[in-house]
C-alpha cells in the first residue's frame, strides 16, 4: 500500500493554504466584537497563563512590565476601548499604566466597579491606523513588575507580574 500523500507542490489548493497568513481570532476584529475574555490564548506577547479567582472569573497577568495585544482594524476610525483589571500587586502599577497603539499613546480614564476592579476606557485614534497593517499592536506598560510574594510572603510563585486583565 502506498503512503498517503501529505502535500503536492503542484496542487493549487495546497499552495493557497500553505501561503495563507494565519487568521487572527475572529473576536479581535475591531468594530464588531463584543469583548475579548482573558481565558484563552492571548494574541500578543508578554502574558502569563489564564487563572481563575474564587468567584470563577478568568484573568491573565501581564508577565512583566509590558504586554501586547494584536488587533485587526479594517478601516481607520476612532475605536473606543475599555478593559477590566481584576488584580494588581501595588497601587503604583495601576497608577503607572500606559497604553499605546503602535507609537500613539492612548488617553485613559479609570473607574472602579462594584467589585473593586479597575475599569479603564479610552479611544484609539484613527491616526494610529493610517498605515494599513495586517494587525496593530496595543501595548500595556507599567513602571515596575513585582513578585506575588509582595502580597503573600509564603508564595512560591517565581513570576514577576504586572496587572491581571479580565476582559478587553
Amino acid at each position: 500500500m502506498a503512503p498517503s500523500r501529505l502535500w503536492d507542490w503542484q496542487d493549487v489548493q495546497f499552495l493557497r493554504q500553505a501561503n495563507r497568513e494565519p487568521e487572527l481570532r475572529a473576536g479581535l476584529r475591531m468594530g464588531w466584537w463584543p469583548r475579548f475574555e482573558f481565558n484563552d490564548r492571548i494574541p500578543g506577547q508578554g502574558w502569563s497563563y489564564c487563572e481563575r479567582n474564587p468567584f470563577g472569573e478568568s484573568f491573565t497577568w501581564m508577565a512583566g512590565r509590558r504586554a501586547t495585544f494584536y488587533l485587526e482594524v479594517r478601516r481607520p476610525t476612532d475605536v473606543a476601548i475599555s478593559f477590566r483589571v481584576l488584580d494588581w500587586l501595588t497601587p503604583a502599577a495601576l497608577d503607572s499604566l500606559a497604553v499605546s497603539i503602535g507609537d500613539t499613546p492612548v488617553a485613559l480614564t479609570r473607574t472602579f466597579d462594584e467589585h473593586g476592579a479597575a475599569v479603564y476606557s479610552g479611544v484609539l485614534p484613527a491616526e494610529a491606523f493610517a498605515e494599513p497593517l495586517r494587525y496593530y499592536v496595543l501595548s500595556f506598560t507599567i513602571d515596575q513588575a513585582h513578585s506575588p510574594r509582595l502580597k503573600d510572603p509564603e508564595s512560591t510563585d517565581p513570576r514577576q507580574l504586572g496587572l491581571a486583565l479580565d476582559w478587553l
Side-chain angles (χ1 to χ4, degrees):
M1 181 167 157
S4 63
R5 181 174 67 172
L6 297 176
W7 63 82
D8 183 345
W9 294 106
Q10 296 175 342
D11 181 355
V12 175
Q13 290 292 48
F14 170 77
L15 290 174
R16 280 191 190 128
Q17 291 295 331
N19 291 325
R20 180 177 286 167
E21 285 187 48
E23 290 289 320
L24 290 176
R25 290 181 48 145
L28 303 178
R29 293 190 178 111
M30 298 298 288
W32 56 270
W33 57 284
R35 71 183 190 186
F36 178 87
E37 299 284 342
F38 280 76
N39 61 0
D40 201 356
R41 189 175 84 71
I42 298 170
Q45 297 179 342
W47 299 99
S48 191
Y49 49 85
C50 177
E51 300 177 56
R52 290 198 181 277
N53 67 15
F55 306 107
E57 296 170 304
S58 60
F59 62 92
T60 302
W61 286 97
M62 294 169 57
R65 292 184 50 246
R66 183 172 185 269
T68 61
F69 192 90
Y70 303 145
L71 298 175
E72 182 179 333
V73 177
R74 295 190 178 195
R75 58 187 183 279
T77 184
D78 289 351
V79 177
I81 64 163
S82 62
F83 56 93
R84 184 174 188 232
V85 176
L86 198 57
D87 202 359
W88 51 91
L89 296 173
T90 67
L94 284 179
D95 296 337
S96 70
L97 176 62
V99 173
S100 61
I101 182 77
D103 295 328
T104 306
V106 177
L108 298 171
T109 59
R110 178 179 72 194
T111 60
F112 291 92
D113 68 14
E114 64 276 7
H115 303 288
V119 178
Y120 289 85
S121 298
V123 175
L124 307 179
E127 300 81 47
F129 308 115
E131 182 182 345
L133 299 174
R134 171 80 176 113
Y135 62 86
Y136 298 87
V137 179
L138 184 65
S139 298
F140 299 84
T141 307
I142 60 170
D143 288 343
Q144 189 172 2
H146 294 282
S147 165
R149 292 184 195 118
L150 189 66
K151 272 189 168 177
D152 178 8
E154 295 182 19
S155 173
T156 58
D157 190 338
R159 298 176 294 169
Q160 292 291 307
L161 303 174
L163 302 173
L165 274 71
D166 178 18
W167 51 258
L168 167 66

